[in-house]
Amino acid sequence: MDGKATAGRKFSTAIAPMHGLATRQFLDILSDFCEPDECISGFLRVHETSVIAKDIVDLIENRRGMAPLSIQLLGKDPKHFVRVVGLLRNCGISAINVNLGCPMAKIRKKGVGGALLAELDTVDGIISALAEETNLPISVKIRVGYADPLEFDAILEHLAQHGIAALYLHGRTVMGLYSEPVDFACISKAKAVLRCPVIANGDIKSAEEAMAVVEKTYADGVMIGRAAVTNPWIFRQINEIASGLEPFAPSGEDYANYIEKLKASTHRPGVSEIRSISAIKKYLVPIADSLDHGGDFSIKIRRAETFHAIGDACEEFFIGEWANRGDCDAPKWQS
């Protein structure tokens, strides 16, 4: 398994399948800075009439990066999984990933994603059907239980029956959403029980935390989600720390250039400014909160209704306030 070294061990990095955020455009931007060892798509819905969604086709056909790409599937009926995997045949993807962990209520109510951790026989049926249909590696993304980490032993027992290629494990329960503490003991247990690589996920907010999680859990790697949105240099920083180097510290200019790339990726011909603003705010709001939580910059980004207003907020923060911190001046926002 390709990856980085920590304490004499190798570990890999992956970008989390953030639905609506880990788009082809965002992954292209990420590749400009330093892409992870693996990319996993946002979920592709699997049902009786599902087709390969346009965003998935775009990701497969037009992505600039070179990291192996897994397509994540979200569904319940094994025969529908088989049909959709057939549609993906010969697409050049590296693996299939099964979503067994999404905690969103609208997903759970449909009996898919994290809801399947309460239906382990269905999980067995899905994995078995996929293994019979495709030669592609099959990985799963799960949580440590549906409502209680005490369920995790039974989950591991079921997964151990299958030759899954990798386990991506978010260290919370489904019902714990994103507020529960991450259960690192469960990640360590999965590593001890399963023969496949175990990739740790959940609340990894910096390169230093990534290194610490691998040290603590003996995981084979880390999967990083929103921290890659607020800090697209995180995979570079992990590489540098693992190599004994000082990690890159982005300046105001670096952030301004990043935001300019986000603008270019969302403000495209034929797309109204209102829709473009809505799209870029999915990235800008967490970025602003991470840099200036509760401050004027964060408030102005949330309230902005035009690219001009966003540009004014960025210039004021990155050229004015950020420069006063001693960093280099940022270039002006390109209107």
Side-chain angles (χ1 to χ4, degrees):
M1 183 179 232
D2 293 335
K4 319 297 176 290
T6 177
R9 297 176 59 241
K10 293 283 187 178
F11 74 97
S12 67
T13 57
I15 184 73
M18 299 174 287
H19 193 69
L21 286 176
T23 62
R24 190 267 302 169
Q25 291 84 1
F26 176 71
L27 294 182
D28 282 350
I29 292 172
L30 202 59
S31 71
D32 291 340
F33 298 113
C34 181
E35 67 178 343
D37 297 315
E38 182 182 7
C39 296
I40 300 181
S41 74
F43 59 71
L44 172 60
R45 296 178 187 272
V46 173
H47 51 78
E48 186 175 6
T49 60
S50 57
V51 296
I52 308 304
K54 291 181 180 179
D55 61 328
I56 300 296
V57 174
D58 183 36
L59 184 60
I60 293 171
E61 295 183 350
N62 300 316
R63 183 175 62 110
R64 290 202 310 261
M66 300 301 293
L69 173 66
S70 297
I71 300 299
Q72 185 179 84
L73 304 182
L74 175 79
K76 185 173 184 177
D77 192 316
K79 66 177 180 291
H80 298 328
F81 274 87
V82 168
R83 184 183 66 81
V84 170
V85 165
L87 298 177
L88 290 167
R89 190 177 290 116
N90 301 322
C91 283
I93 62 175
S94 299
I96 297 294
N97 179 264
V98 182
N99 184 322
L100 302 175
C102 181
M104 293 189 296
K106 64 181 181 180
I107 298 296
R108 296 198 318 269
K109 289 177 181 178
K110 295 180 179 179
V112 298
L116 289 176
L117 291 185
E119 300 181 31
L120 295 179
D121 289 342
T122 301
V123 171
D124 288 335
I126 291 170
I127 298 175
S128 295
L130 286 173
E132 291 179 10
E133 174 64 18
T134 182
N135 291 323
L136 286 171
I138 300 163
S139 64
V140 297
K141 187 171 190 302
I142 71 169
R143 289 192 168 217
V144 300
Y146 182 74
D148 192 323
L150 293 177
E151 302 160 13
F152 193 54
D153 285 347
I155 293 170
L156 286 180
E157 184 177 341
H158 278 259
L159 292 178
Q161 299 172 19
H162 305 282
I164 60 173
L167 174 68
Y168 298 85
L169 179 57
H170 187 118
R172 297 183 174 97
T173 64
V174 173
M175 297 307 292
L177 299 175
Y178 297 96
S179 58
E180 270 184 356
V182 173
D183 192 330
F184 293 108
C186 282
I187 298 174
S188 299
K189 181 181 291 187
K191 178 60 184 168
V193 170
L194 299 178
R195 296 182 178 181
C196 68
V198 174
I199 312 301
N201 176 229
D203 261 8
I204 300 174
K205 298 176 181 177
S206 68
E208 291 80 5
E209 288 183 10
M211 308 296 287
V213 167
V214 171
E215 293 280 359
K216 183 184 298 185
T217 65
Y218 299 97
D220 297 282
V222 292
M223 171 177 274
I224 294 173
R226 293 183 183 273
V229 172
T230 58
N231 174 19
W233 304 274
I234 191 167
F235 299 112
R236 170 182 173 175
Q237 293 164 343
I238 290 172
N239 291 348
E240 290 167 339
I241 293 175
S243 300
L245 303 174
E246 187 73 19
F248 174 72
S251 66
E253 181 177 4
D254 293 313
Y255 269 104
N257 286 333
Y258 170 43
I259 292 172
E260 184 65 31
K261 288 176 181 286
L262 289 172
K263 179 196 173 187
S265 75
T266 55
H267 192 32
R268 301 188 297 276
V271 179
S272 69
E273 185 171 31
I274 292 175
R275 288 186 61 188
S276 296
I277 292 294
S278 177
I280 197 173
K281 277 190 175 183
K282 293 179 182 178
Y283 302 94
L284 290 189
V285 168
I287 291 170
D289 284 347
S290 70
L291 297 175
D292 188 44
H293 186 69
D296 286 345
F297 178 52
S298 179
I299 292 170
K300 288 177 180 178
I301 289 295
R302 289 178 181 276
R303 291 178 177 175
E305 297 182 351
T306 65
F307 277 111
H308 183 76
I310 289 174
D312 285 348
C314 288
E315 285 192 26
E316 180 181 342
F317 183 70
F318 290 115
I319 293 180
E321 182 174 339
W322 194 291
N324 291 334
R325 302 177 183 183
D327 286 304
C328 58
D329 289 351
K332 286 186 177 294
W333 175 275
Q334 302 299 311
S335 299

